[in-house]
Amino acid sequence: MAKQDRAVRTRRELIRSAAEAFGRQGFATSSLSEISSGAGVSAGALNFHFPTKRELGEAVEEAAAEALRCIVASAPTGQSPPLQVLVDATHLLARGLEEDVVLRAGFGLGSDATWNVDSGAKLWLEWRSWVRGVLAAAGGEGNLATGVVLEDADAAVTAAVVGFEVLARGDARWRSRGAVTRFWDLMLPGLSSEAVRAELDAAGPGVPAWGEGGPCVLGAGAGEVCGRAGKNGGESGGSGI
């Protein structure tokens, strides 16, 4: 059991170190020796867990996908309208991208021209699919304003979050709670119906303040983080990633 625990820790540290390297200099120019050194393990240990850099990149992407699924499952639901769930999840994602190097690297691979083109923007596509599901649920409940086109709405939300992430590489304030709140202050009046508009809060009141503990273990890069999601995980209007 101790040997298994050690192997899990080693794998986790290698994923973390690879994420840090990919974030600094991209996939192609990150060296395996740099990654093994950053994880505090030998080149042989790295090769045992990940025989190729491609497999290591895929592990970073999958760990980031698990973190994303945990985040959207953790968005407060209860009796909240679907649009409030979307607002809260956007705040949680921004916080995750700020605090979790693995999540950040996973999304970054989607815009890395040196990453295999077959992978594409995998995480962004998963996020957009979830956004579309929540917006569809909002439309089904009559929460969308008259004339809102689902495809246009999910494209706008996805594009805005992509923009925040790209801009935040040079200025972390783009991932701040204030930046996300201002975006929703602008979006919600045109997106939501009058029947639900007064119930919505662009600041995401159900989301813990930046720096406080949350239901997801950001930065762990391990599947077990999803098991710690909140009681309402996965109940966002029947949509999931």
Side-chain angles (χ1 to χ4, degrees), residues 91-187:
H91 278 283
L92 285 169
L93 178 58
R95 175 185 172 183
L97 288 168
E98 177 64 23
E99 299 180 352
D100 185 349
V101 66
V102 175
L103 181 66
R104 195 160 59 245
F107 275 101
L109 285 172
S111 57
D112 187 337
T114 67
W115 182 237
N116 193 301
V117 293
D118 292 338
S119 292
K122 180 179 177 181
L123 265 68
W124 289 118
L125 292 174
E126 289 200 31
W127 167 251
R128 183 174 184 179
S129 175
W130 184 83
V131 168
R132 181 184 290 254
V134 176
L135 286 170
E141 294 185 16
N143 293 168
L144 296 182
T146 302
V148 169
V149 178
L150 183 63
E151 290 76 9
D152 293 344
D154 86 69
V157 173
T158 302
V161 177
V162 170
F164 287 152
E165 169 53 16
V166 172
L167 291 166
R169 295 173 195 172
D171 184 349
R173 289 175 296 182
W174 283 100
R175 293 193 200 102
S176 69
R177 190 163 198 158
V180 178
T181 299
R182 287 190 293 274
F183 165 72
W184 283 115
D185 276 335
L186 181 66
M187 282 287 292

Side-chain angles (χ1 to χ4, degrees), residues 221-238:
E224 66 267 20
V225 296
C226 294
R228 300 192 186 113
K231 294 179 181 179
N232 295 319
E235 297 176 2
S236 50

